[in-house]
Amino acid sequence: MEPNFIDIHTHTTKSRDNLIQIVNLDLNQSCPEQGCFSYGIHPWALNNTDFQAEKALQALEEKLKLPQIVALGEAGLDKIHKASFERQIELFERQIELSETLQKPMILHDVRSHNEIIALRKKHKAQQPWILHGFSGTEQDIKQLIGQGIYLSVGESLRNPERKIHKSFKFIDLNYLFLETDMAEISVEMIYKAAANLLEMDIVSLQKQIFANFARLF
Ligand SMILES: [Zn+2]
């Protein structure tokens, strides 16, 4: 039977029946044998005084060889974080290369960096799927990102009518949609419900659509 729910990005290892989740782990955490996981070097890591890029990249490469590591992430760019943007780009580009060589899709952290992310996808002629997680942008952002073949994952912000994603959500091509809980301590089911509501579709059709997207990528 197909699992009912897919949580494309979460930080909790708690699981249950009828749920596939990609659990994001830190490089210093070991990986369970069962399940789907992602490892990456978050741009915020650059701010740790003891961060060593080469060492981290080497550790990441080793992790990514494990079959249960299905994606590289989070990696990406964050314009409002204090880590040098130049160094963020450098680190991100190294991870794009790893994702391409080891053929693992990427889960992206993107804060006000759509343009740079798109430019780097083009520069590296990246073939691996990219999933931008925690998306909450406008209709225009959606067109721009999906136009470049980038998948969008939406989380808790869907439940907040004040957020702009409330209005823009219906413009996401469903073939490019994922849902996630990320850090939120709610079940992904609640996000599915909010999404189905906004799309005026039933949960089962939404589950089928997202399962099909997942099966295409992983
Ligand atoms: Zn996260």
Side-chain angles (χ1 to χ4, degrees), residues 28-218:
N28 55 18
Q29 281 177 288
S30 62
C31 185
E33 275 174 33
Q34 296 293 323
C36 299
F37 303 91
S38 64
Y39 281 98
I41 308 170
H42 200 284
W44 297 353
L46 286 166
N47 231 38
N48 301 341
T49 41
D50 59 350
F51 178 72
Q52 289 176 283
E54 291 310 319
K55 226 173 130 188
L57 284 160
Q58 222 167 49
L60 176 60
E61 184 168 359
E62 282 314 304
K63 295 276 193 202
L64 288 171
K65 288 176 183 162
L66 298 169
Q68 69 272 40
I69 316 297
V70 298
L72 190 165
E74 306 169 41
L77 301 172
D78 191 329
K79 256 195 197 147
I80 60 177
H81 193 264
K82 55 182 177 237
S84 134
F85 200 64
E86 238 168 84
R87 286 181 70 210
Q88 291 189 39
I89 289 182
E90 225 173 277
L91 182 63
F92 182 44
E93 289 197 272
R94 294 286 297 276
Q95 293 185 88
I96 296 173
E97 286 163 11
L98 275 180
S99 147
E100 291 296 311
T101 329
L102 299 169
Q103 307 206 320
K104 306 261 167 150
M106 287 230 270
I107 295 171
L108 302 181
H109 173 90
D110 166 12
V111 178
R112 295 192 197 159
S113 309
H114 297 345
N115 290 337
E116 289 81 1
I117 283 178
I118 287 170
L120 290 170
R121 184 161 175 85
K122 287 184 184 158
K123 175 181 166 190
H124 287 264
K125 300 189 172 70
Q127 299 297 312
Q128 284 303 304
W130 288 7
I131 303 167
L132 199 156
H133 105 86
F135 178 77
S136 63
T138 61
E139 181 186 355
Q140 201 195 339
D141 296 328
I142 292 170
K143 285 201 177 120
Q144 195 191 3
L145 291 159
I146 293 184
Q148 296 304 321
I150 296 175
Y151 290 77
L152 304 177
S153 172
V154 187
E156 209 193 1
S157 59
L158 269 186
R159 301 173 70 230
N160 181 352
E162 312 270 288
R163 301 290 297 268
K164 50 181 181 258
I165 187 69
H166 237 250
K167 283 208 187 85
S168 60
F169 188 61
K170 59 175 182 286
F171 296 107
I172 298 181
D173 175 341
L174 296 184
N175 291 309
Y176 284 88
L177 175 68
F178 286 107
L179 298 173
E180 66 179 44
T181 56
D182 195 14
M183 302 281 202
E185 286 180 16
I186 52 170
S187 70
V188 78
E189 218 172 315
M190 309 280 283
I191 315 257
Y192 270 74
K193 271 188 194 147
N197 244 331
L198 284 172
L199 297 169
E200 296 177 32
M201 75 194 277
D202 60 278
I203 294 241
V204 174
S205 312
L206 183 61
Q207 286 173 330
K208 283 196 173 141
Q209 174 70 57
I210 291 183
F211 184 81
N213 297 347
F214 186 82
R216 206 181 316 124
L217 264 57
F218 298 100

